[in-house]
Amino acid sequence: MKLNLRQIEVFRAIMLSGSISGASKLLFVSQPAVSRLISYTEQRLGLMLFQRIKGRLYPTPEARRLFNEVTTLYQSVQRVNEVAENLAENRVGQLRLSCSPSLGQSLMPRAIAAFRREFPEVRIVLQTLIPSVMLQSLLTQQVELGVAYMPIDHPSLESRALYENRFVAVLPDGHPLAAREEVSVRELAGEPLIGYSADIPFAMLVRELFGDQDAQPEARIEVQQAHVACAMVQAGAGVALVDEMTVKGPIWSGVVAIPVAEQVSAPVNVFHVQLEPLSRLAQEFIRVLRNLETAGAAAGAGLDDSAGPSRA
């Protein structure tokens, strides 16, 4: 390589300042050092870059042509520095996320809105995916983070717990149990229950809540997603067991969410590929997710103990 970065830097400094002394001031080095390096550069290139006429230094036509390329190079370097600075400050970039469908209507809109307030220039792509598809999207790096209920087991994925996310009973406003502080599953057993397809995690949790096989209620209506179950209650089709995150989502008018005495949770986790370092944006998004729960807990702690059941 005939030119290295230091030689280019010295050449550019002479072109900008018009003299050896000016270049030495720009670069904070001695004049002899600048003279020696530019002479060596001319020898390496086999070109005369400067002529001294009546005590002044003039660039040759070859030097002017070379300077055009050097200017382009420095503009590119400046752009690299700007991109690096923007990345360090999280001012630009793209964050690709995935979540389970119910969280796409509850948790994620709130998290993304909070994230955008801090980083308005970042582009966000959100995909709502079932767990098996989310797993493939993470492993093939189509998305950087996945947020879902329950674990997604794979040796290449790392999981971080976000929220406990307990179950609540969703009842029509005016239901005989709607004024209770909490309800038991035994009290719900005789109600027209909206259940879940047997192959999804929520159905397994509902079975866990009711315990013995003989105590398992027969669902009058079967759905696959918690927010659909809420919509069914809202329409007057029955009662449902859903998670706290779902009732914190859309405004479910005409229904009431009551804590369930038996404690069963649908924990919310964030997933990413274990051996791939997380981008700064992904780390910031996880922080925002955690802060949402902290803010929610603080708000909850400030409620009057007599507030009773929440109007979902």
Side-chain angles (χ1 to χ4, degrees), residues 61 76 78 158 175 194 199 278 307 309:
S76 298
Q78 184 177 15
E158 181 174 330
H175 189 281
I194 298 160
D199 59 341
L278 283 177

Side-chain angles (χ1 to χ4, degrees), residues 97-287:
L97 308 169
S98 62
C99 70
S100 51
S102 290
L103 292 177
Q105 294 206 4
S106 55
L107 172 66
M108 295 301 278
R110 293 189 294 123
I112 289 172
F115 184 83
R116 288 272 300 156
R117 286 192 287 272
E118 292 189 50
F119 310 109
E121 297 180 26
V122 175
R123 182 171 182 264
I124 298 174
V125 178
L126 175 65
Q127 300 177 8
T128 52
L129 305 171
I130 62 173
S132 59
V133 180
M134 184 186 296
L135 172 62
Q136 292 304 312
S137 294
L138 287 164
L139 294 177
T140 57
Q141 299 182 357
Q142 296 176 54
V143 297
E144 188 171 5
L145 294 177
V147 184
Y149 299 114
M150 318 294 286
I152 299 178
D153 293 325
H154 193 280
S156 296
L157 288 188
E158 181 174 330
S159 170
R160 305 187 189 192
L162 291 174
Y163 318 118
E164 182 184 3
N165 196 30
R166 287 184 56 188
F167 261 55
V168 296
V170 179
L171 311 168
D173 202 358
H175 189 281
L177 297 173
R180 298 282 296 276
E181 292 294 327
E182 66 176 21
V183 296
S184 69
V185 293
R186 189 178 307 169
E187 293 173 296
L188 297 173
E191 299 291 332
L193 186 66
I194 298 160
Y196 300 98
S197 302
D199 59 341
I200 67 172
F202 267 30
M204 302 171 193
L205 291 174
V206 171
R207 286 199 297 272
E208 182 181 337
L209 270 172
F210 283 96
D212 296 338
Q213 186 64 34
D214 294 339
Q216 295 293 325
E218 182 181 353
R220 304 291 194 273
I221 300 170
E222 188 176 284
V223 299
Q224 291 191 318
Q225 296 165 349
H227 65 273
V228 177
C230 283
M232 291 288 179
V233 178
Q234 192 176 43
V239 303
L241 288 161
V242 306
D243 64 298
E244 292 174 309
M245 282 298 162
T246 295
V247 296
K248 288 180 181 177
I251 303 301
W252 298 107
S253 59
V255 302
V256 180
I258 313 289
V260 176
E262 295 82 358
Q263 294 192 15
V264 171
S265 301
V268 177
N269 301 278
V270 60
F271 303 90
H272 59 87
V273 177
Q274 193 173 51
L275 299 179
E276 286 290 329
L278 283 177
S279 69
R280 291 172 63 92
L281 291 176
Q283 294 176 45
E284 291 292 346
F285 190 79
I286 293 173
R287 175 186 59 79

Side-chain angles (χ1 to χ4, degrees), residues 27-61:
L27 299 175
F28 301 101
V29 296
S30 67
Q31 293 185 40
V34 172
S35 295
R36 286 195 300 271
L37 189 55
I38 201 64
S39 296
Y40 175 72
T41 301
E42 289 178 325
Q43 292 174 13
R44 291 282 296 163
L45 292 175
L47 288 173
M48 180 181 290
L49 298 175
F50 299 97
Q51 284 185 326
R52 189 175 295 276
I53 303 173
K54 296 182 179 179
R56 294 195 59 185
L57 208 63
Y58 292 89
T60 63

Side-chain angles (χ1 to χ4, degrees), residues 29 64 66 77 87 110 150 200 298 310:
V29 296
R64 294 187 186 281
L66 187 62
V77 171
L87 289 171
R110 293 189 294 123
M150 318 294 286
I200 67 172
S310 62

